[in-house]
Amino acid sequence: MTQHAVVIAGAGPTGLMLAGELALAGVDVAIVERRANQDLAGSRAGGLHSRTIEIFDMRGIADRFLSEGQIAQVAGFGGTRLDISDFPTRHPYGLGLWQNHIERIMAGWVGELAVTFYRGRVVRGFTQDDTGVDVELSDDESLRAEYLVGCDGGRSVVRKAAGIEFPGWDPTMSNILAQVEMAEKPPLGIHRTALGMYSFGRLEYEIRDGEIVYKDVGPIGVMVPESDVGCTTEPTLRDLSEALIAVCGTDYGVHSPTWISRFTDMARQAATYRDRRVLLAGDAAHVHSPVGGQGLNTGVQDAVNLGWKLAQVVKKTSPESLLDTYHAERHPVAARVLRNTMAQTALMRVDDRTEALRDTVSELLAMDEPRKRFAAMMSGLGIHYDLGPGHPLLGRRMPDLDIVASAGLHRVFTLLHDAHGVLISFGEPGALDLSAWADRVRLVDTKYLGEWELPALGAVAAPDAVLVRPDGYVAWVGDGSDAGLTDALSRWFGPPSVTRR
Ligand SMILES: Cc1cc2nc3c(=O)[nH]c(=O)nc-3n(C[C@H](O)[C@H](O)[C@H](O)COP(=O)(O)OP(=O)(O)OC[C@H]3O[C@@H](n4cnc5c(N)ncnc54)[C@H](O)[C@@H]3O)c2cc1C
């Protein structure tokens, strides 16, 4: 039986990111993917939020996305746009780029790394024992892995086979989404009716002065509400035509669909992200309405949280308990996404009272403090892992500062390209001793004289040193001494080399 250290089910954005992270750490990783290639039917996610762009920047690949997409203020809440252009980040914006392009670029990056692909095959199930997992594939073959990660989307076979519960909320609304041709030109843009919101747009667009300007030709993307919320069969052209006629009074001569699908506001989250040697990430672990564009971003960030931890456990530099911090940190993040999508879908209802509520929320969000708080939440820049009390940087993203180190000027994010931990000391060179972790964490003595500012929080006290995890979150903050550093290094990077067996 073929063996790999880690097998990932699913090469969507989450599986690709996780494979990349594991490969960077030198772990033998394989992906099993149903699709024969990376092509994606339909457009799905429309772009990236600021924190995901930062994550790609940390790995040195942000420009690949930025050069193909269109930067814009994409963060919003319940229909109110939230401008983040004053946020202290190198990327105070989001990026308009369809998911098929995002996946193509990610797959290109993963293709440069040592990742084995089993394409055109499906994970059917698995059995796990104390030492590994037997992963059953559709061609009656099996793979043996130390760990299996289900990145296989909302209907995850891995989650179901693991018997992990998926509690949450049933849908209250359903929309058909499609890419079609139309004999008559529909009114492009978003419209509200008593039956719900509907929209028409062209796949090709430009963002000018913050507004979407659609090209004159090309396939039309349609979103239209359907009256039957509980429908489980795949929607057809006839269903689309009927839904259009019910809402718009005409189907605009709809024909030649290239893709018809549906989304709902169902919100569910896996009760646990780990069952011994099996883990879940991305849509396999959480599903919700696409409002706010958070699904793909949350999945990619799950993968970046899990990748280095799983790599260290596989390499036996860290105990298995490190994997429990994955659930502890990422479950609350997606729980918050579920709640904010539920709040936003409630605000999207079309009746006078909801309209009044939406106006009220919009008024509140026009104030600076609420805008910053909500924008930090929606852009992912405000994520805070609970690593205990201490300096505001603890558990928050390390800012991409311009620092002066031995070989000249550096950006902090360039220190993270290889997905290693880094201890950045801003004090006396040589003041901190890292020798017992030197194989896992790099020490950089540097100077930084600028402001320390965090999104939504504002200015914070300058630290003397920070321990930055491979996922870009701060695990320890020094205030003139090394108190707590040994504990933090052991907690996040395993016991010191001298005592390791
Ligand atoms: C209409 C719509 C609009 C959206 N808009 C946004 C947006 O603007 N921003 C945003 O962030 N998110 C958005 N999303 C959500 C986003 O598309 C998903 O959250 C994202 O694709 C999740 O990535 P994933 O890799 O976790 O899962 P998926 O993308 O579902 O990938 C799962 C992969 O696993 C494969 N697979 C499934 N089962 C198996 C199996 N048994 N064996 C092997 N392979 C398998 C599939 O072929 C697929 O490639 C939107 C979604 C929809 C439907």
Side-chain angles (χ1 to χ4, degrees), residues 399 401-404 426 447-453 459-463:
L401 309 174
D402 288 313
I403 54 173
V404 183
F426 302 98
K447 291 277 171 257
Y448 174 69
L449 300 173
E451 290 280 303
W452 283 80
E453 204 188 344
V460 299

Side-chain angles (χ1 to χ4, degrees), residues 229-347:
V229 170
C231 205
T232 51
T233 55
E234 288 301 311
T236 61
L237 183 60
R238 189 192 175 97
D239 295 331
L240 174 60
S241 165
E242 286 174 4
L244 281 167
I245 290 169
V247 176
C248 313
T250 169
D251 68 2
Y252 298 99
V254 64
H255 65 93
S256 310
T258 48
W259 175 65
I260 307 183
S261 183
R262 70 160 51 83
F263 74 87
T264 73
D265 64 343
M266 179 171 72
R268 295 189 175 277
Q269 188 175 19
T272 177
Y273 283 15
R274 176 180 174 215
D275 173 31
R276 292 163 289 157
R277 291 181 170 273
V278 176
L279 296 120
L280 301 175
D283 276 17
H286 38 74
V287 295
H288 49 77
S289 154
V291 63
Q294 301 165 92
L296 182 152
N297 291 269
T298 308
V300 167
Q301 292 174 41
D302 284 347
V304 173
N305 185 285
L306 176 60
W308 64 280
K309 296 174 180 173
L310 189 51
Q312 287 180 191
V313 171
V314 165
K315 291 172 165 178
K316 304 201 177 353
T317 51
S318 287
E320 265 203 327
S321 57
L322 183 64
L323 294 177
D324 292 329
T325 68
Y326 166 60
H327 172 100
E329 292 178 355
R330 293 304 298 174
H331 194 276
V333 171
R336 198 164 180 217
V337 170
L338 259 63
R339 287 200 74 74
N340 84 44
T341 56
M342 286 165 67
Q344 290 186 80
T345 42
L347 283 174

Side-chain angles (χ1 to χ4, degrees), residues 8-16 32-35 38 40 43-49 98-99 103 118 121-124 151-158 177 259 261-263 281-286 288-300:
I8 298 171
T14 308
L16 289 171
V32 183
E33 166 56 47
R34 179 199 307 272
R35 289 178 280 164
Q38 205 63 45
L40 192 65
S43 44
R44 297 191 72 179
L48 303 174
H49 280 295
W98 293 115
Q99 183 165 341
E103 290 197 14
Y118 296 93
R121 286 193 244 176
V122 173
V123 170
R124 271 204 190 137
C151 299
D152 50 343
R155 295 176 185 160
S156 172
V157 166
V158 174
L177 267 186
W259 175 65
S261 183
R262 70 160 51 83
F263 74 87
D283 276 17
H286 38 74
H288 49 77
S289 154
V291 63
Q294 301 165 92
L296 182 152
N297 291 269
T298 308
V300 167

Side-chain angles (χ1 to χ4, degrees), residues 98-152:
W98 293 115
Q99 183 165 341
N100 54 342
H101 298 301
I102 295 172
E103 290 197 14
R104 172 176 48 75
I105 297 168
M106 292 183 81
W109 171 61
V110 173
E112 295 161 16
L113 304 169
V115 174
T116 305
F117 274 89
Y118 296 93
R119 284 199 181 274
R121 286 193 244 176
V122 173
V123 170
R124 271 204 190 137
F126 67 84
T127 48
Q128 64 170 318
D129 54 48
D130 288 348
T131 58
V133 189
D134 288 329
V135 185
E136 288 163 45
L137 305 191
S138 43
D139 51 8
D140 288 333
E141 279 194 34
S142 298
L143 298 173
R144 175 79 179 168
E146 288 172 48
Y147 288 89
L148 168 66
V149 188
C151 299
D152 50 343

